[in-house]
Each structure stands twice: as structure tokens, then as C-alpha cells.
Amino acid sequence: MTDTEKYDRQLRLWGEEGQARLEKSHICLINGTATGTETLKNLVLPGIGGFTVVDGNKVSASDLGNNFFLDKSCLGLSRALKVCEFLRELNDRVKGSSCEEDPVHLINEKISFFKEFDLVIANRLPEAALTTLSQYLWEHNIPLVVVVSYGYIGYLRLVVPEHQIVESKPDTPLDDLRIYNPFKELEEMADQLDLKSLNSQQHGHVPYITLMVHLLKKWKVDSNGGKMPSTRDEKESFKKFFISNANSFQDEENFQEGVKGIWKVLQPYSVPSDIVAIMNDPKAANLSSTSDDYWVMVAALKKFHETHQVLPLQGTIPDITADTISYINLQKIYHEKASADLDEFTSIVNSLVSSVGKTLIPSEMIKKFCKNVRFLNLVRYRSLVDEFTPATARSAYMISELEQPDSNLVFYIVLRAVEKFNNIYNRYPGFNDEEVDADIPLLKSCVTSLLNDLSIPTTLVKDDYITEIARYGHCELHNIASLMGGVTSQEVIKLITHQYVPLDNTFIFNGINSTANPYKL
Amino acid sequence: METSYTDIEGRWSDIDKVIKRTGPFVAPDFQPDTNDSPSIKTALQNDFKILVIGAGGLGCELLKNLALSGFRNIDVIDMDTIDVSNLNRQFLFRRKDVGKSKAEVAAAFINQRVAGCKVTPYKCKIQDKDEDYYRQFKLIIAGLDSIEARRWINGLLVNLVVTDTDGNIDPLTIIPLIDGGTEGFKGQARVILPRISSCFECSLESFPPQTTYAICTIANTPRVPEHCIQWALIFGLPDAAIPKPFDPKVFDNDNPVHMTWLYETAKKRAEDHNINGVTYKLTQGVAKNIIPAIASTNAIIAAACCNEAFKICTDSSGYLDNYMMYNGQQSVYTYTFNYEVKEGCAVCGSNIVSYEVSPKTLLSTFLEDISKDSRFQFKKPSLRCNGRNLYMQGLLHQSTVPNLEKSLEDLQVGEGDEITITDPSLPVSITSIILLIYHDVESESEEETTTTSTNSFTPSVNNQEVPREKVWEKYAKRSRERTDHRTDQNQCRKLINQILKEYKAGSHVSIEEVRAKAIEAQTKKIQSYFDNEFQTNVSIKA
Ligand SMILES: [Zn+2]
């Protein structure tokens, strides 16, 4: 039994390369609560390299009511030690270690402890310690993930200075077919098409790409003075012309496929605006020997685009109606053009690399980048300090979100106020049964002062939400912990593998009615 | 039930906060527990019995979540055994457990880890249990990947609901069904209150049978590696001229020898047509219809399901109304909405659907069409009309085989007749009725007549016949939208007839097998209705 078999169902998503990145990563968890262990469970199972749990607590009775990675025998022992032991058992390939120190103490006295990790997950950290940690990790370019399960509510925040993505893996990627602006080889092949000479079987099996390129050229030369159709009327007229070339439109699937996507095809070629933004980023303009490979390749992409006004061709075509031979031929033409583009792109990369004095970028990496140029992505997160400082907080955005009926953002406000409450009273609102009623107005005044700091009208947070959060008394329900652990681990996997697109930057789950929203705070 | 186990003081202090305290969002019936009268906790621990169907990726999570929600009486049903590829997410299993019963290993693990919890495993099919068995549960949570099993349990639970002569529902007979499903980074969780909210059958269309490549493409114009793998499965396997190191009747896609043969046959086919990309991994993916699965998505969906279960049993909060979709691929998106009851639902609504068809349609084509239809998705249907058996499974099967090549007309099935259908995908007591509406196709050749019958149907409301004009309008629109190539379809039908002849000649491969193969062995060529719906909603929200 190999790991390939064991990991088969996930390798189909993130591949060997994503798996290798996971297996190299060492992740730190602050506090081995239910939310913490549920997150790690979903990371140990797919095989991260290692993890370290930092937790100064001893296992208490209430841990046995919500934490699956503890049992009766653990009562009174170090929680870091025991959850580490129980989690390690899930996957013998994963190394686990524990640190029994109080994380707040560690942050205040020995913050360099956190420098060794590839990512830190913080859970149940007081706001002051969290802020200190986030600044430290930000300076060291280490991703921080903050997760909270509070009664029926969940909160998640990702903090990374810059996250580069080559394989964003969009749900429905469209192939770059260049029908509007065919490359030479494609145009030459389409020129050779002689529809009249084909029998009906062949006629119905000419790939629509070839049909389109061929007929577009014919139409523009014969009927539009050599210009591509640009107005609505011209496009309609081309569409009619295209259909008129079918022997029987009802029966020819290739012609139908052509008409289906005709409006998209008749859009002039353009580079997506987010890719343009990445190419124009100052980091691509100012390369040095310490530049990331990503930015060197972006710079090369910019050069390629300046020369050709197009991006390197991806070279894949969708499965479309065609006979085998025409399809394979067409595939070959795209593939060869993509190879030629890749060769040229690679030589630009190599010359940039040598001009700035960097080590060579592996050709496999260049190839992957080149194949994904239309799906590049870059996320620059806001720091927690920017979010927490009233002068830089996104108050206007928050107001517009809070004005929506039943906005889940109210929970963000009340949970922030809970931290203020904890800062003042050194306990959580409603923790003790006898104090719930008395804590509600105290929590309300924390909400009011937070809203005033942020210049948000206090009427936007209704009392019911404050009452509800006080009712929770800092409790951690296993279901919410498990759900948040699921979302958190998924985002950690995206950050570590640099595949798919992670949340930017806050997620709130409302377990009262099972709704959720992402916010950019 | 007995209360033999006493908990350590303070163990449930987190749950106590929400069951001992009231709040602005609790359900109307909520009565907080007091120390003297802990009725919610007693119910959780002693009175309520919960059933988990499936002990796989979702099932392991469900059992853990229920145990740590304070439930103590849990049954789990799963007939499967543990495979090594389960270990990346089914965290109650270890390498040493490979080959053992999922239900048994999962139950033993939970019972050992969570003191006081008693999970009882059943290694069997859900169909092996009777109504009385299902009646004992407070609610049922399904973590299944099989549409068929979900339809079955849904149908059964809808049928258990008792209504009096005035049509009032007896609420005590309602057993909520909470259903979860995942695929890669996507999933959905929903609450079904039988006879009150929409049921699983109402939403059958959102789980379309995976669309098969036209059989003629596979046979004549293969283009992508998947076509070659399908060819090896559908044509290579029954072909006696192709040597194979095993008996094709017992093809097993878990057997490496069989899979290697399949891979090599597909590769050969691909080489003959200059197609690249047939790999062992892809062959496995296509042959087993492998769906990617990861721990995180299962955790999210199972937790959403159990959160609803806990709230239904404690009244301590609001509720999911009634469907949540999840997609974690690009950012983290959810969409929560009310999935509405479908009129004409075979299970919870009127079970009559009008179906437009040509009288010249062969029974075999008709069978093929309704099985493929996303609204029915029959597995092995039996058809009766006017008190006669048209096509039967089981003992009467052989006697009805000759009918397959007769047209509806020849079988004396008339306009407005109702064809009653029973199928293993529906519980025994539920039938689906198809009301036939004939359309005339004077100008077209006989061949074309048969092909145009595919998929044109209109649901009727409460047995009222839909006006012919309306049906025709709809039909005409649909046929305009159709992208299928008729020539291709004619080729397809010839192929199907060929397979039929083989069938009659006593060849070992049955038409059901061929059809099942074609439907099962799939790739992701077509985006499902659901993905589109989801994308649309997400883009509106964003
Ligand atoms: Zn229904």
C-alpha cells in the first residue's frame, strides 16, 4: 500500500506538486481547543509535513465534551501534549510536537519561536497578543490564520502580506482559442478548408473552430471591407452568413456549437484586467537577485505581451464535434503553437534571470506558469493592524454591509466587542450563569465604544445580537468548531499549495440559520 | 432507555450554555433546562435515537459530531468495507482496518473514544430494514454518495407521515431527514421535513445522471482519452476477439489485473487514433467514476448537518431553511435558500407527469429515454399499462423482452394512457405514472420520428392534462435548442439495436449492463444544472 493509493482522492485535486508542498510544510496551532484540533485533523489526514501545538492549559472536564482528540485518561494532563499524541495517530507520516507554554507568554517573551513555521493558526488569543503576533509574522512573511468558534457563530480571518497563485483552477476555465485573432498556422489550416468538396458526413464534422476562422475571413473580405464584425448588425449579419454555410443547420452539431459561442468569439482579444494589473505591478518592473520566481516570470510575461500583444497560447481545445483526424490535427496545431510560445517565453525568463543574477528557474515551473498565464492570481491582504486601527478601518464598507437586513457582519462587531470586554474585565461576557444578565449592558457599552471609534452608527447593531452573544458565554460547540475547522483547514491547504483562490479576508458563519458571508475588512 | 453512564461534572458545560439559557433566536417551543428539570439533556442522552446512514467520509464526521453534541443512542448503517483510499479523510479507520466493515470499525472507535456514547453498527443495505426499524428514530442523517439510496430513504420517510381524513398531518409521524453530499471542494447540506418541505425527489433534477458521451462518438469518432476508455469498457469488454486474462462477466474495477487490461486496451485504441493522454490514473477515474474527496469539505458539510440535528432536537436556535450550498474553490462561498416543493413530485406531490412521445417509439427507446431523464432516473423500471405488463423485471422479465422491439402503438398504448412504473430506486409502495401525450410527425421519416421523442415532456399539475398547443410549443422550442446530431442519433440507435440483438442472441452482456456502463462511466464534460445555478447566484451576490 503506497501513499499514492491512500492520497488518490486528494491528488486528483491538487496533484503531486500540491502534495509535495503540503508534505514540506510545518504548521503551528495556538491552543488545542476543539476548533484547533478539528483544523489540524483535516491537515494531518492529507499529510502535512508536521505540526506543533502550543497550549499552556491542562485538559479539563469541558474539553471532554467538545474535543474529539482527548479522552477521560487525559484529564489534568497537558492539553498540548495529549492532543498532539491523539492527532499524530491519524497519519504516521506526519510529525507532531507540543509546547506546553502559555502562548501569550511565548508571544510576549520569545516571539522568535514562531519564525520556524510555514503558517500559524491562532485560536482563542486575546486581542493584544494576537496583534503582536500578527505584526511579527507579517514582517517575516509568514501566513497567519485566525479562527474563532463562539456559540453558534464562526469567524475566520487570513493575514498574508502577499499570496501568489499560478494555478487558481477556476471552476469553468475557457480555452484560449484565438478565433478572433488566429495565429498564422491556424489561419493557414482554415484557408485550406473547402466546404463544397466535403460529403455530408465530413461537412457535419469540421470542427467549429476551423469553420469560424475560415468563414470569418471569407465574410470580412467579401462583405465588410476586410474589417471584423464590430457593430451588432455586422455581428448578426455574420451569424446569418455562418448559418447559411450549413447543409442543414438543424442536423449539423458543429455549426450549432459555433453559433452557441458566437458572441464571445466576436469579442476582440483582450488580456483580463487582473492579469494586466499583475503585469503592471512595480514588483515586476524592479527585478533584483532577491525577486521571487513569480515576479521574474511576470516580468517575462510582460515582455512577451509587449512584443506580441497576446499572452503565450495555452494550447488546449475543448472536446467539440469533429471526426478524429480533423480534431487531432487541430489539437496538434494549437499544441505546436503553444510549444513555440513556451520556448520563447522560457528564453525571456532565462535572460531576465541571468541579467539580475538569480539562479535558474526550473523548466517545469516555467511551463506550469506559461500554461496558466490567463489564470494567475495575486492576493495582497490587509494587515490586522490596518483593520483594527480606526483611522484605517473600512468603516464606510462596514456601514453599507451592516445596513443590509440580517447582515452577518454584526457578529464581527459583537465579537470584537467581546475582546474589548475581556480586555477590561479579564473574563468573557456571560461566562458565569449568574452574571449573564449583568454582563449584557457591559457588553453593550463595549459595542457602543467600538462603533464610536469606527464612526459607525450604533443603531446598526441591534440589542438582540448582544444578548445572544452574552448567552453563549464563550462556549465552543463541537459542530461549529468542526465546521470552522473544515473551512480553516481548506484555506490553509490553499495557502500552502498556492492553488485555488483563498478567502480575502474574513468569513463569518452564522449557525443560527446556516448562512455565511465573506467580507473584506 | 437506561441511564447507566454518569458523566464527569462539567463535561457538557459548553452545550449547557445554549440549553440552559434562552435567547432572542431560539425556536418558539424552547424551554431552557434547569438543574431540577434537565429535560432537553435527558432527551438528548436517553430519549432520542439518531440514525446515520453511511459510515464513509461524511459518516465518520457525523458520528463524531453527534457523539460530541451529547447524543448517546446512535445507529449507523453501511454495507461497505474499508479501502486504503478512504484513509485520507475517514479518520476513524487505520491501515490495519482495511477490508473490515466501515460501520463496525466506526462504531467501535466512537464508543471507545467518547465515553457514554453507544453507537450500534449495521453492516447491511438500508433496504434490508423495514418501516418499523426506521420509525424509532428522532431524525435521520444521510451521508451517502448514492442517489438511489437517498431516494429510497426519502421515499420511505415521506410515506411514514400519517395524515387524517381531513388531510392534517400527524406531526409525531414526521422524521426529519438531514442530507449531506460533497464532491471535491463543493457540497450541500439540507433539511427535509417530510410532507412539509421539499423532499429529495423534488430536487432530483439537481442531481442529473451523469451525461454519457454519445455511444456513436465512442464507437466512431473518438477525440479525447475518455472516449477510448469508454470504448474499452463498452465495446472492448464484451468483444470475444480481444483477449483478456479474466472472465469479462466478472469485471471488477478494484482488481489491478482487470484495470491493467482496461488501461492497455484503451491505450491501444488511443494510439490507433493518435490520441494522447490515456493514463492508468485517468482509466481508473473513468471506470470507477471516481469523485475527488477531501477531509475539509466533509467536515464542513457534516458539521452543518449535525448543527441542524442538534438544533431540531433542542429548539435552542433557529434553523436552516432548507438548503445550503457550499463552494470552497474560489474564496469561500455559501448560498442558503428555500428549495421549493415540486408539483408533480412522484414522492411528496401528485405522482403524475405528462410525457410527450411519438406513438411509433419503440418500447426500448422509450425505456432508454425515461431512464436517462433527470426527473425520473430509473434504474430497472417495470412498466405496466391498462392492466398489462409492458416490461417487467424479475420472474416475468423473459416474457416481456419481445415487447422491447415493438412500438407503443403496436403495444396498444394509446393517447392519454397512463404507464405505471415501479423501480428499485423508489420504495415499493411508490409508483410513478407517466401520462402519454402523442404528437404527430407527419412529414418526417420513421427514423427521425423515433429520435425526436427524447426528453420532451411537460409536467402536469394534479392530473390535469396540459393543453396540446402548450405541449407542442414547448416541444418545438426544445427541439430548436437541441444540439444533438440526428445522423449521430441514427447511428446510435443502430448501435443500440445491435446490442439488443446480441442480447436476444443470448450474449452475456445485457442491455441494462450496457446502459448502466454508459451512464456510470463518466467524465465532467457537462456542467451540471446545479453548478450553473450556483455560479449565477454567487455572481449576483458578489
Ligand atoms: Zn417531493
Side-chain angles (χ1 to χ4, degrees), chain A residues 210-224:
Chain A
T210 316
L211 283 176
M212 256 315 170
V213 174
H214 176 78
L215 293 173
L216 253 177
K217 189 171 180 183
K218 199 160 182 264
W219 180 85
K220 75 178 180 187
V221 172
D222 295 353
S223 331
N224 209 37

Side-chain angles (χ1 to χ4, degrees), chain A residues 10 38 41 68 152 168-169 171 251 253 319-320 324 430 433 471 476 482 490 494 501 511-512 514, chain B residues 14 18 21 61 64 69 88 95 113 222-223 307 311 316 318 326 328-331 336 483 485 535:
Chain A
Q10 69 202 43
E38 289 299 310
K41 174 196 79 202
F68 192 71
Y152 282 115
S168 65
K169 304 198 169 176
D171 236 350
D251 294 341
E253 214 173 331
D319 177 28
I320 53 178
T324 306
D433 287 345
R471 173 196 182 209
E476 190 180 20
S482 186
Q490 167 193 283
K494 291 194 232 167
V501 181
I512 301 167
S514 209
Chain B
D14 288 77
V18 294
R21 301 170 176 183
E61 289 279 348
K64 166 192 67 104
S69 297
N88 79 327
R95 279 191 189 266
R113 177 67 58 89
R223 299 180 292 267
N307 187 40
K311 292 186 297 177
S316 63
Y326 177 85
Q329 220 161 295
Q330 314 284 311
S331 187
T336 302
T483 52
H485 194 285
Q535 291 286 330

Side-chain angles (χ1 to χ4, degrees), chain B residues 199 201-202 345 348:
Chain B
C199 77
E201 199 78 10
C202 290
C345 171
C348 77

